[in-house]
């Protein structure tokens, strides 16, 4: 496998950066120490321009090539961690209570820093590379914040690329697809208001727990009977809160959950039916149901030509047999979608091997993947800015 020699030489250094970041996780936009670490490294590498504070705490580095050309491509990594207590027991486990890099953003940041160091040393390309370090991917719309803060226009970015590790995919493999690769991760809250009573007198109550249970079951009709079965939709109720003690039927119950789709028409249908089912079931029992529905992030849609470019770069690193260019789409969400709505580009998965899953307290980014990710970023940049 033609891993770049210089990337292999940088592996120990990049591993040390990754483990430092893993020990010191930060949440959402509060990634001040991480951003300072990234900024310091970029300046140390001799990156031509380093700009902080974009999208609150995002960092962008601009690296100019040796050749002529004014095209700029963006390479994006996310920096934030999750509010989770780590149980990995690794020597470099989180030192911050209730915070951990359970999604591998420490690895993403380290890989892009390694690529930035190489690109700043060699500058074997025309035009410029923008290395983008984003806050608040984990539910904070950090990508949107950076776009709205002028990311694309300020730096003249014409294409943008993202990458995410995937546990269960073998090391030294990549996966990508044209079109929707990650879902729109909608959120809902259903508040059922009934009438409370003593649990010994249920006939005097309008029981929001019983009604809520029917709503949970009813929502499964959306995927089973309302949506076209060849167009994916997931409806999951993930929280059910009601009551304070064993002998009181409460006044209120609250359900929360998520709807995942890859198609805007299906997304509209799911929201409509969720509202109708919740309010209809509640009304049939004399209760009310208030529905709050949010669409925090669109579908992550890979552009066709840029997907081909990304797949080509990956094949150059690991060979044709180790690149799946038509991977099944995921029902997870990714706010890189906002960058792909702003500019053409593509989002690729990199194998993390047989590790614990993402958002798991035992997860750890596999350091053996670092050299593949660095090599991919470097090859992609040099290929896209070859002319």
């Amino acid at each position: 496998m033609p891993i770049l020699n210089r990337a292999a030489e940088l592996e120990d250094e990049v591993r040390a950066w990754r483990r430092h970041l893993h020990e010191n996780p930060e949440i959402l936009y509060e990634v001040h120490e991480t951003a300072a670490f990234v900024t310091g490294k970029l300046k140390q590498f001799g990156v031509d321009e380093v700009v902080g504070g974009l999208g609150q705490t995002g960092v962008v580095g601009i690296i100019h090539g040796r050749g002529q050309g004014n095209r700029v491509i963006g390479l994006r990594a996310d920096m934030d961690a999750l509010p989770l207590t780590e149980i990995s027991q690794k020597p470099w486990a989180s030192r911050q209570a209730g915070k951990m890099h359970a999604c591998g953003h420490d690895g993403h940041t380290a890989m892009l820093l390694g690529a930035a160091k190489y690109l700043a040393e060699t500058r074997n390309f025309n035009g410029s590379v923008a290395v983008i370090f984003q806050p608040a991917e984990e539910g904070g719309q950090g990508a949107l914040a950076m776009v709205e803060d002028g990311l694309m226009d300020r730096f003249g970015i014409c294409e943008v690329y993202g990458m995410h590790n995937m546990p269960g995919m073998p090391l030294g493999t990549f996966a990508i697809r044209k079109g929707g690769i990650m879902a729109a991760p909608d959120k809902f809250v259903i508040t059922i208001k009934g009438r409370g009573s003593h649990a010994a007198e249920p006939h005097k109550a309008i029981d929001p727990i019983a009604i809520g249970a029917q709503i949970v079951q009813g929502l499964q009709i959306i995927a089973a009977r309302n949506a076209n079965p060849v167009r994916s939709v997931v409806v999951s109720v993930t929280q059910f809160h009601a009551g304070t003690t064993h002998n009181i039927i409460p006044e209120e119950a609250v359900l929360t959950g998520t709807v995942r789709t890859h198609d805007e028409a299906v997304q509209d249908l799911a929201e409509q039916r969720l509202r109708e089912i919740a309010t209809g079931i509640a009304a049939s029992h004399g209760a009310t149901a208030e529905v709050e529905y949010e669409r925090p992030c669109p579908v992550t849609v890979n552009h066709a030509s840029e997907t081909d470019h990304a797949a080509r770069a990956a094949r150059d690193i690991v060979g044709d047999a180790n690149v799946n260019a038509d991977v099944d789409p995921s029902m997870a969400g990714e706010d890189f979608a906002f960058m792909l709505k702003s500019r053409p580009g593509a989002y690729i998965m990199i194998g993390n091997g047989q590790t614990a899953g993402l958002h798991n307290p035992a997860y750890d980014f596999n350091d053996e993947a670092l050299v593949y990710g660095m090599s991919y970023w470097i090859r992609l940049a040099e290929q896209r800015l070859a002319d």
Side-chain angles (χ1 to χ4, degrees):
M1 297 180 184
I3 292 298
L4 299 178
N5 289 337
R6 180 63 177 130
E9 291 170 4
L10 290 170
E11 186 175 9
D12 289 346
E13 185 176 14
V14 176
R15 182 188 299 114
W17 299 341
R18 203 284 297 182
R19 294 181 179 183
H20 166 80
L21 293 169
H22 192 89
E23 287 180 319
N24 298 281
E26 296 177 293
I27 305 297
L28 291 171
Y29 289 98
E30 300 302 314
V31 290
H32 303 289
E33 294 302 320
T34 305
F37 180 85
V38 167
T39 297
K41 292 299 179 187
L42 294 178
K43 290 181 176 179
Q44 179 184 325
F45 303 157
V47 167
D48 297 288
E49 183 180 0
V50 181
V51 178
L54 205 69
Q56 297 188 40
T57 46
V59 180
V60 178
I62 304 297
I63 307 167
H64 300 310
R66 295 184 188 277
Q68 299 298 314
N70 55 15
R71 294 182 66 249
V72 182
I73 69 162
L75 311 178
R76 172 269 204 174
D78 32 21
M79 298 187 290
D80 58 319
L82 284 158
L84 196 63
T85 298
E86 183 164 2
I87 62 170
S88 74
Q89 298 184 325
K90 297 288 180 66
W92 51 86
S94 172
R95 296 179 179 179
Q96 308 299 322
K99 301 176 185 180
M100 73 166 290
H101 273 293
C103 204
H105 297 185
D106 51 341
H108 302 166
T109 296
M111 288 188 292
L112 188 54
L113 280 175
K117 182 169 184 175
Y118 177 99
L119 293 168
E121 288 176 355
T122 60
R123 301 179 184 266
N124 187 29
F125 53 91
N126 300 305
S128 301
V129 176
V131 288
I132 303 163
F133 297 87
Q134 178 205 310
E137 189 279 327
E138 296 290 357
Q141 297 183 320
L144 178 61
M146 292 191 79
V147 170
E148 290 183 338
D149 217 2
L151 170 66
M152 302 302 176
D153 293 334
R154 177 172 179 175
F155 302 106
I157 296 170
C158 57
E159 296 175 15
V160 65
Y161 296 87
M163 177 165 52
H164 203 291
N165 78 95
M166 185 56 61
M169 270 178 54
L171 282 165
T173 65
F174 290 87
I176 196 168
R177 68 177 286 112
K178 295 177 182 178
I181 188 168
M182 305 289 279
D186 297 354
K187 304 176 183 179
F188 64 83
V189 179
I190 302 171
T191 303
I192 304 155
K193 296 185 178 180
R195 182 170 64 235
S197 79
H198 196 293
E201 299 179 315
H203 60 291
K204 295 181 179 180
I206 298 176
D207 186 349
I209 295 178
I211 295 166
Q214 290 186 38
I215 291 173
V216 172
Q217 290 294 103
L219 293 180
Q220 303 315 305
I221 290 293
I222 297 172
R225 291 294 181 269
N226 298 148
N228 186 325
V230 301
R231 301 172 79 179
S232 300
V233 58
V234 170
V235 181
S236 294
V237 177
T238 56
Q239 296 181 70
F240 193 139
H241 300 287
T244 56
T245 189
H246 76 284
N247 61 353
I248 298 173
I249 294 173
E251 295 272 334
E252 184 176 288
V254 178
L255 311 179
T256 63
T258 184
V259 174
R260 305 294 174 112
T261 56
H262 281 276
D263 181 283
E264 191 169 342
V266 178
Q267 185 181 29
D268 291 341
L269 171 68
E271 179 178 355
Q272 176 188 337
R273 291 297 294 133
L274 183 144
R275 292 181 182 277
E276 291 170 348
I277 290 167
T279 57
I281 289 175
S284 72
H285 292 283
T288 62
E290 298 175 358
V291 179
E292 300 172 41
Y293 196 99
E294 298 180 33
R295 299 187 181 193
C297 179
V299 178
T300 304
V301 179
N302 279 345
H303 299 250
S305 294
E306 288 68 27
T307 300
D308 287 338
H309 299 320
R312 175 191 168 198
R315 290 188 185 105
D316 282 354
I317 300 302
V318 298
D320 289 356
N322 291 310
V323 178
N324 181 353
D326 193 25
V327 69
D328 289 339
S330 169
M331 298 310 285
E334 166 59 72
D335 78 348
F336 187 64
F338 290 111
M339 293 192 184
L340 290 177
K341 285 179 73 70
S342 180
R343 291 294 187 275
Y347 183 80
I348 198 167
M349 306 295 185
I350 183 172
N352 203 56
Q354 295 303 316
T355 65
L358 302 175
H359 294 215
N360 184 302
Y363 170 87
D364 187 32
F365 183 87
N366 191 334
D367 287 328
E368 293 183 51
L370 292 169
V371 70
Y372 296 105
M374 283 190 288
S375 296
Y376 166 76
W377 279 138
I378 293 162
R379 188 61 54 88
L380 178 64
E382 291 181 344
Q383 285 180 352
R384 294 306 302 134
L385 296 173
D387 299 323

